[in-house]
Amino acid sequence: MPTAISLRGLSKHFGDVKAVDDLDLDIADGEFFSMLGPSGSGKTTVLRLIAGFEQPTAGRIELGGKDVTGRPPFARDVNTVFQDYAIFPHMSVRQNVEYGLRVKRVPRADRRARAEEALATVRLEGYGDRRPHQLSGGQRQRVALARALVNRPQVLLLDEPLGALDLKLRRQMQIELKQIQRDVGITFVFVTHDQEEALTMSDRIAVFNEGRIEQLATPVELYEQPASSFVAGFVGTSNLLEGPVARDVVGSDGQFVVRPEKVSMLAPADAPAEDGEHCVARGTVREVVYLGAATHSVVDLDAGATLTVAHQNTDRSIDAALERRGQQVLLVWSRDSLVPLGGNDAVPAGSTTGRQPSSPEENTP
Amino acid sequence: MPTAISLRGLSKHFGDVKAVDDLDLDIADGEFFSMLGPSGSGKTTVLRLIAGFEQPTAGRIELGGKDVTGRPPFARDVNTVFQDYAIFPHMSVRQNVEYGLRVKRVPRADRRARAEEALATVRLEGYGDRRPHQLSGGQRQRVALARALVNRPQVLLLDEPLGALDLKLRRQMQIELKQIQRDVGITFVFVTHDQEEALTMSDRIAVFNEGRIEQLATPVELYEQPASSFVAGFVGTSNLLEGPVARDVVGSDGQFVVRPEKVSMLAPADAPAEDGEHCVARGTVREVVYLGAATHSVVDLDAGATLTVAHQNTDRSIDAALERRGQQVLLVWSRDSLVPLGGNDAVPAGSTTGRQPSSPEENTP
Amino acid sequence: MLWLGVAYLGALGALFITSLWQQNDFTGAIERVWTLDNFRDLFTIDVYRTITFRTIAIAALVTVVDALLAFPIALYMAKVASPRLQRLLVISVLMPLWASYLVKAYAWRGMLSENGLIAWLGAPFGIDTPGYGLPATTIVLAYLWLPYMILPIYAGLERLPDSLWEASADLGGGAWTTLRRVVLPMAFPAIVAGSIFTFSLSLGDYIAVRIVGGTSQLLGNVVYDNVGAANNLPFAAAVATIPVVVMVIYLAAARRTGALENL
Amino acid sequence: TDSGDSSSDSGSGGFTAPDVPMKKSLGETEGEVSILAWPGYAENGSSDPKVDWVTPFEKKTGCKASVKTFNTSDEAVTLMKTGEYDVVSASGDASLRLIASGDVQPVNTDLLTNYADISSFLKDRDWNSVDGQMYGMPHGWGANLLMYRTDTVKPAPTSWSAVFDEASTYDGKVTAYDSPIYIADAALYLMNTQPDLGIKNPYALDQDQLAAAVDVLKKQKESVSEYWSDYLKEIQAFTTGDSVIGTTWQVIVQVAQGEKVPVQAILPDEGSTGWSDTWMVKADSDHSNCAYAWLDHMASPETQAAVAEWFGEAPANLKACDLTSDPKHCDNYHAGDSSYADKIWYWTTPVEQCIDGRKDVKCTNYGDWTQAWTEVKG
Amino acid sequence: MKLSPGLRAVLRVFTVLLLVIIYTPLLLVVLNSFNASATFSWPPQELTLHWWKVAADSTGARHALWVSIQVALLATLISLVLGTMASLAMRRTRFFGRNVVSLLIILPIALPGIVTGIALNNAFRTVLGLELGFLTIVVAHATFCIVTVFNNVQARLQRLGTNFEQASMDLGAGRWTTFRLVTFPMLRSALLAGALLAFGLSFDEIVVTTFTAGSQQQTLPIWIFNNLFRPNQAPVVNVVAAVLVLLSAIPIYLAQRLSSGVTQSAAAAP
Ligand SMILES: Nc1ncnc2c1ncn2[C@@H]1O[C@H](COP(=O)(O)OP(=O)(O)OP(=O)(O)O)[C@@H](O)[C@H]1O
Ligand SMILES: Nc1ncnc2c1ncn2[C@@H]1O[C@H](COP(=O)(O)OP(=O)(O)OP(=O)(O)O)[C@@H](O)[C@H]1O
Ligand SMILES: [Mg+2]
Ligand SMILES: [Mg+2]
């Protein structure tokens, strides 16, 4: 597949802050590419560099194989959906959508037709004459999308476009956005700090940390094989085993992650035969949290760490789960589910570590 | 248990808008009570009525058995954590926390001690001298909490206190908030539009719709036995079966909801024996969505509706799930999991209905 | 509040009532006889119409000139200058407001004179001073009221989110297109807010025109001559209703653009 | 040319003054007096410590004097009407109006010791008396001269025609006084050039005469660079050359010449308009004793000398001439020259009754003049 | 967003040019205060300190300056109180005449000074029967200065919303305590900006003052007005003006030191 965007040695420093630090990245044509990471990790800056709102401190930006590093935003075949939508408040919805065509001097009839088409794509037919302030958040988001799409750019950049919406609306927009991307076939570069959003929508995900890419992978790889404790902690709930606990439970030194849903909880009596294929740990249920579709049990291992176990609520009654509170249990998981972490480069952000079970740690200090 | 708050026939109209409509509600002492509902359903208004920022159009408000309906906010033993925190920007963290004591003329030494204690409760020891703008979002939220808690009110009102935080931080704060509530034993009235948040934290939840309570129940009841399609659609993903599809699949008229995680997906060959205990439906997998901990399969039933099936990713490989895309499958669920809905009063908001499978519908028009 | 409401409006009302009285020309005493004579004179005598139009034209011209001058500098202040420089510039713009109006006007009189600074500097380039007259009046008024235009526009541009500029550039709008299609329309209420000041101050001025206006006179002079000189308060009041009406219409129009929130 | 001293001593054309009581005798001074004056008439040293005759007055009489200045006669009338001022330095174009409206009282000249020394040609004139009753103390006088720049205006003019019929010679460089009263200058000019109009007194114009004067002024306007109303403007204009010819006051000539501006001023053949100021007392003044003291003080030779020099005018009291620091001051200003003074038509308020004695027509009043002036300026 | 380099350069040049034009007359005033010519002929032939000496002795100027400062301070104070009260009242009560009130407050500044001047003059004298004097100047000035405070406070209140005050009341503070501890401190920089403009507005006002000042009181602009027309006094006026230009830097500098938010809101205000 040809390359839509290619970043080479890209850096952007603001004074002492290395917002983006020597980045190399290729994004393929037609890809739904997400950038995920905590606040301040440089996602927006990368997007702005691609769009041309910032000039890189070092490095090169290629769009469709052409170097555009020095070019101003209006000379790049890229469009952006801004986090706050940036819809022109003094124009009607139609005028907003037509704007890009108008400045390119597309004839009136033509641009009217294309604008209607774009509005249809985002399912806003008939809203053309409204003013932006007459729209709800979700509708505004779609106007911003139509305004960008109507120009048929090579690449569409989206900076947390769903950040301002409530959960319900957000889920709907996720599905819709993905649908539109499939329909128009444009490369999407999507910034978010919501891991679930990134997982459901993306072809590939880059996890950012302090201006660098911590891991670049498909959603499944990312979730199932996090490259570092940082990624493991940032994407999904992770149970970290390390030091003496790891030695005790896993039987070897190092850092290991096991996802809550991979762990089964058994009554102590039901201990499986030692087959070398599974890890087994004994512990006490400290807390049972009902999530609707699933139940999380927080278990203090006798060996020292605290693990979260997820259990799908296939039954209508969760009384059984709740009754386990305070009981002794046996946790069992396949060794296949155990992910050994490579470099111990970053502090696991928000993962439940052995010492401070449910303590929150800010990742935006 | 004694009643902390009791609302009787409470109404609040803004012009034609019935923001709150003839509400009766009792909240018990020490309860963690949540109000859940879409935007504009009146949650904030109820909170503001309790706090005294608005005067009701009709009805009575009792706090701890005493009628406080006409009293100004400063004469009610209630404190609020605002959605935007409303931390006084011109005061230090300590001054913010001490504020309530200061206006009550608590001696300096005393209030200093109590402020430190409150800061310790929210784990912000040593932050007293900082200015609000030097804090991160999560820290600010905790200052707001400390500022309210230090007054040891009967009731603490929280209006979407986690709305502005990112997902990771939000999860951490949920755990923490719940912990604090248990420790101090104060009644919490918590407003949110995030269903998962409400489910994990609350003792009881009131689901609001257009100024009225649609259902008032514990989290488990709410999720497992939604009283209406509105509740079913708002709390969790729901699969709605109605009309001919219901007749076909369930075998009787009416509206039924079955939760995605209760449905098993089998190969057509594995059809179970008809036992009357289970519903069975044949369909085609249209879409498989990977969520990390779970996978959702969207299945078009031959009978006409579309159902979502959730499947916990216990395996490290989800290839099996992904391969099902486009295949014929058999969906099976226990009749126990089938929830018949009573009144068909409201349009199911955002639930996947038979006709428009993945279409988003604004619930904020 | 009360003072404003009652006293100020009362004062205006009393003024209007006065305009319906007449005056004994010789003694200058006001005779409380109801008459529309003052207004009849005002409408029937050509010269007043001429002066009214001239005054409105000058005020409009001053406003336009100020807007043209203020916009770029406000743009520079709001969107190019560093925060430090921004504050410095705001001060630089504010400071001339404190220097005396009269002194500034006389300084301009000196500059505009035949051998003044402008002629002196312009001579090598073949530029001559416009001399005293309406052009000079326009220049001086524009100079005097410029800060009142710069500050609201600056505040308006400051409030304009950067993302709108970026959105326009992103959609292919060059600098000029963006200015014309996005920035200007968005800053328009602020410009109107500024224009309320420049327009009304120009409308009522009678001093600058005396200093550099040559033989010209504006509405303010007529009012001043009649009240200060001829002591014909009723007629002066009648004349004064013209700028009041003009301003009220102007304000009403400005309100529609949302300018009043931008003052 | 005709003598300016035209009207009879019996006062202005037959109008009767309101009955305001006159002061019979002096009493204790009241301790304060409030003064309304032309700038430069009542200096208290606040502008220049050396220029101060208010403080000596206060020391002498114990009357605390507060001074407010005005810039035109019309302003003076307006301010007098506020009733806040005990005395006013009224020019001829204001005095009658003040008398007619009853704002000022007749003055008992017997109570003023310096009155006797006042030049006789300033006593009992149209603008300061009614029916032989003085309404104030003459203060000083001056003529509205014709000033020109000697380097550009050649040959030297002798007639007002230089700024009227021949104004176009100095197109765009002519200046004129900015006040309705300037219409009288045009009327004076017409009196000489168009006798058919029958103008006898430039302050008594009927409708047609006024229209003729207005026409002259409208034509003049085409050549006018600007109208002046204050010293600074006039001096600046002549210094820079923005104006080269026009009406002026003697004081402006002195200052300009002092600045080495090449200007000369003449009293043209036709005579000229001019002013003669009178100190008047408010009708029901609460501080009339202080007011009389002020009048007397202002008429004293010392004060007269100081004012005349500082302001630049001819003193009313000729004893002052010996006391001026410039011994030639009185000569420069033609102080004792009654034939010179006779060529001057002093500013007088135009009123409906023609002060030239005509009974058959109604004359135009000051309101008409104001409106006419507005029209002239356009 | 960075503007394109070309546009930035154009804007920079324009700004510099305009500032030069703005400051040329002011520099000229300063220069002329040393000009030996009493009529400031250009170019100056000879420089002198004479006028500065004369001005130093001018008690009239000093007195007028003092009056002006007093008037401006008092008018500012009144506008601060009334302007703040007005904007608070406007916000609290959602009465229908909101627009009317804000229009009313804008009116004194929006209407030509001469109209305001004679209207007030007429009202003071004929309607209220007041004697013109210090008090009438102050009241007149306050009338048109209120708008600067009002606008600033209004804008600030709008930005702040009602949350902070509600939070305060929620924590048990009564209305006055809330104002004292929360509202007022948060309004401070807006008030400062408003006060600065109000002071400036009052300090240089001449038209309205002309009509509302009695005989006893002369503000500095009136003094300047009178003295400009006195022979040999114009250069002294120049000295005074030069001093004013230089002095004006002080309050602005102070204000800037006191609060960096001022210039921001000052812009929102005039
Ligand atoms: N214009 C700027 N000047 C100075 N520093 C900046 C600027 N823009 C960004 N930064 C800094 O660069 C770093 C990266 O910022 P960036 O906005 O790219 O983060 P982000 O990943 O988009 O975060 P968020 O999720 O909060 O949007 C941060 O430390 C930020 O403070
Ligand atoms: N001050 C007000 N004036 C007029 N209408 C109001 C006012 N406050 C609230 N409303 C209306 O009352 C209804 C309920 O509003 P409320 O703020 O209680 O909703 P909510 O459930 O808190 O919504 P959200 O989730 O968006 O915060 C809405 O229709 C809203 O528009
Ligand atoms: Mg960002
Ligand atoms: Mg709400």
Side-chain angles (χ1 to χ4, degrees), chain E residues 89-187:
Chain E
M90 289 261 304
R91 191 176 60 145
R92 290 279 147 65
T93 46
R94 247 171 256 174
F95 54 82
F96 93 109
R98 243 177 125 89
N99 274 324
V100 179
V101 172
S102 64
L103 201 71
L104 195 74
I105 288 179
I106 295 166
L107 217 53
I109 193 92
L111 290 186
I114 191 157
V115 176
T116 306
I118 60 174
L120 289 176
N121 175 291
N122 194 28
F124 285 143
R125 283 179 27 226
T126 55
V127 183
L128 299 176
L130 286 176
E131 227 175 82
L132 296 185
F134 187 76
L135 203 70
T136 50
I137 309 180
V138 170
V139 171
H141 283 201
T143 308
F144 62 79
C145 284
I146 287 176
V147 68
T148 66
V149 175
F150 177 80
N151 277 334
N152 265 309
V153 173
Q154 183 85 331
R156 176 65 55 90
L157 285 176
Q158 231 157 45
R159 212 171 331 144
L160 287 176
T162 52
N163 266 351
F164 292 113
E165 281 154 318
Q166 289 185 348
S168 168
M169 293 217 242
D170 185 65
L171 292 166
R175 280 172 228 288
W176 168 242
T177 312
T178 297
F179 180 78
R180 193 167 52 90
L181 294 179
V182 175
T183 316
F184 180 72
M186 292 199 297
L187 289 180

Side-chain angles (χ1 to χ4, degrees), chain C residues 26 45 109 114-115 210 229, chain D residues 74 100 173 233 240 351 371:
Chain C
F26 187 67
I45 300 177
R109 182 173 161 85
E114 197 135 284
N115 302 312
R210 281 214 332 217
Chain D
D74 313 307
K173 303 268 184 186
K233 213 176 148 182
T240 58
V351 291
Q371 202 167 316

Side-chain angles (χ1 to χ4, degrees), chain A residues 43-44 83 159-160 191:
Chain A
K43 310 177 297 289
T44 297
Q83 180 162 14
D159 193 358
E160 303 192 22
V191 165

Side-chain angles (χ1 to χ4, degrees), chain B residues 43-44 83 159-160:
Chain B
K43 310 177 296 291
T44 298
Q83 180 162 12
D159 193 358
E160 303 193 23

